[in-house]
Amino acid sequence: MLVIATLAGVTIATAVAHTYQVGEQEDNGVAAAANMHKAIDISRGAINDAGDVDFWFAIAQPGDQAFAYVSTMGAVASTDSRLFVDRADGTTVIESDINDGPGASSCVAGAVVPDSSAFYRIIEGNNDASLSPYRLFALTTN
């Protein structure tokens, strides 16, 4: 299968044998409990309550670029997402976005990852409502 994504005017095409839908495992509200997100996965999750945070872990090489999109199509209560790409420490923000994707979805394109891993952190846009479901499409590339 050929996966093509365009984020902020950059088109990425990658050939993968399979894509997998990976469900979120609670409790992943801190970096130390993050769910793994592989480049071929479509990770799905839910912000269940105001203040809920979801962390997803990604392996990278220093200097790789992170491309990520949070799709909120079909979400109820809120469709507004906020996406953070964090350094390996799980707290230092490399780049963030609240609504550069379609509608109120968020996306980040070309954030340079300085470490050997990164975290994708997702919250509801204002952190005051639920956001369910959402899908995370993300990859790192050099």
Side-chain angles (χ1 to χ4, degrees):
M1 173 170 82
L2 182 65
V3 177
I4 300 173
T6 302
L7 295 172
V10 177
T11 300
I12 303 167
T14 186
V16 294
H18 300 282
T19 58
Y20 300 93
Q21 292 227 8
V22 177
E24 167 194 13
Q25 299 295 314
E26 292 289 352
D27 183 20
N28 63 334
V30 296
N35 288 254
M36 174 63 82
H37 176 84
K38 298 177 186 171
I40 60 172
D41 293 341
I42 300 169
S43 299
R44 67 182 186 280
I47 302 300
N48 296 311
D49 300 305
D52 188 11
V53 179
D54 287 352
F55 278 88
W56 297 88
F57 175 78
I59 296 172
Q61 296 299 317
D64 280 358
Q65 292 181 307
F67 295 83
Y69 165 60
V70 177
S71 172
T72 59
M73 291 177 43
V76 295
S78 175
T79 59
D80 192 8
S81 65
R82 187 175 296 224
L83 168 67
F84 300 85
V85 179
D86 293 340
R87 290 190 69 163
D89 64 10
T91 59
T92 305
V93 177
I94 299 169
E95 190 168 331
S96 67
D97 179 67
I98 190 164
N99 60 4
D100 284 341
S105 297
S106 50
C107 69
V108 168
V112 177
V113 178
D115 307 307
S116 60
S117 63
F119 290 96
Y120 300 110
R121 180 168 36 110
I122 300 168
I123 63 172
E124 187 274 334
N126 294 313
N127 209 20
D128 62 359
S130 63
L131 171 66
S132 179
Y134 70 79
R135 301 261 185 295
L136 171 64
F137 301 83
L139 62 91
T140 56
T141 185
N142 55 13

